[in-house]
Structure formats: structure tokens, C-alpha cells
């Protein structure tokens, strides 16, 4: 199971690095997705990650912290569901319209989170 957590961390790092080094390509990836796809992906990824981290927390470093992160991910999935697709679209469009610097900062945070997942799994 730890290998799966590390693999998820690697994927998150790669997505973060894409945004860090090529904001236009990162934006294009989001813009190619339909509104419905973005909505479903946002919910499913957060819910799946949260449930999975909750289940495997005892096998990872910092199990209490991992459960907190899992709970945050699950709450975020529910929040996005409550928010609705239209509001999520507005939020994503607003975020993608920010400067390259802010986009790089936020994707760096994502890459750092992915790196943390690798660390707790290995």
C-alpha cells in the first residue's frame, strides 16, 4: 500500500512541476477538460485520496497527521459537491486567470505535498 501512496505522490509532484515550469501547458490541460469532467475529477480524486489515506494511515509515517489530511480531503470533496459545478468553474477560471507567479506558487505547494506523500510512504 505504501508503494501506491508513493506513486500518488510522484503523480502529484509531476503535475505540480508542470505548473511550476510551464504554466501555459498547465492552464491548457484544465481548459481542455469539460466542466463536468473537472467537477467529477475534483470530487473523485479528493474523496479517493482521503479514504485511501485514512485506510493506510497506520502503515505510514505520522499516522495521526495522515488521518487529518485524509479528513481534510474528504471534507473538501463534500465541499466541492455542495459548491456545485458552476461555482467550481468560476473558482477554477479565476485561479487560472491569475499571474504565472501565483500559479507557480500554488503548483509548487502541490509538488511539495506530493513530495511529502513520498516521504511518509518510503
Amino acid at each position: 500500500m505504501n508503494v501506491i501512496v508513493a506513486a500518488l505522490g510522484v503523480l502529484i509532484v509531476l503535475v505540480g512541476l508542470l505548473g511550476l515550469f510551464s504554466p501555459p501547458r498547465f492552464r491548457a490541460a484544465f481548459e481542455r477538460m469539460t466542466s463536468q469532467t473537472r467537477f467529477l475529477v475534483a470530487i473523485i480524486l479528493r474523496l479517493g485520496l482521503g479514504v485511501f489515506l485514512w485506510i493506510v494511515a497506520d502503515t505510514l509515517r505520522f499516522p495521526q497527521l495522515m488521518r487529518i489530511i485524509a479528513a481534510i480531503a474528504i471534507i473538501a470533496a463534500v465541499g466541492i459537491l455542495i459548491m456545485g459545478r458552476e461555482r467550481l468553474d468560476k473558482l477554477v477560471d479565476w485561479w487560472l486567470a491569475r499571474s504565472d507567479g501565483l500559479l507557480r506558487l500554488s503548483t509548487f505547494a502541490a509538488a511539495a505535498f506530493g513530495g511529502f506523500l513520498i516521504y511518509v510512504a518510503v
Side-chain angles (χ1 to χ4, degrees):
M1 293 298 205
N2 289 18
V3 172
I4 296 171
V5 174
L8 289 170
V10 168
L11 289 174
I12 293 169
V13 166
L14 291 174
V15 170
L17 290 176
L18 175 64
L20 188 62
F21 292 111
S22 183
R25 284 187 177 160
F26 185 82
R27 284 186 181 96
F30 273 89
E31 291 166 354
R32 277 192 294 261
M33 282 191 251
T34 67
S35 172
Q36 186 67 21
T37 301
R38 282 194 300 206
F39 183 65
L40 292 174
V41 167
I43 293 170
I44 292 168
L45 286 180
R46 282 164 183 78
L47 186 60
L49 182 65
V51 170
F52 183 69
L53 288 178
W54 188 274
I55 291 169
V56 301
D58 286 331
T59 67
L60 303 171
R61 295 179 184 171
F62 314 116
Q64 298 87 356
L65 178 59
M66 296 314 296
R67 284 211 173 84
I68 291 169
I69 292 171
I72 291 169
I74 293 167
I75 291 167
V78 172
I80 291 170
L81 184 61
I82 292 169
M83 175 191 299
R85 187 175 48 84
E86 294 80 17
R87 287 189 191 140
L88 179 65
D89 285 342
K90 288 179 183 178
L91 179 63
V92 169
D93 291 341
W94 173 85
W95 178 60
L96 292 175
R98 299 302 98 200
S99 69
D100 283 355
L102 186 59
L103 190 65
R104 283 185 169 111
L105 181 64
S106 59
T107 57
F108 173 78
F113 175 68
F116 177 72
L117 286 180
I118 295 167
Y119 171 74
V120 298
V122 177

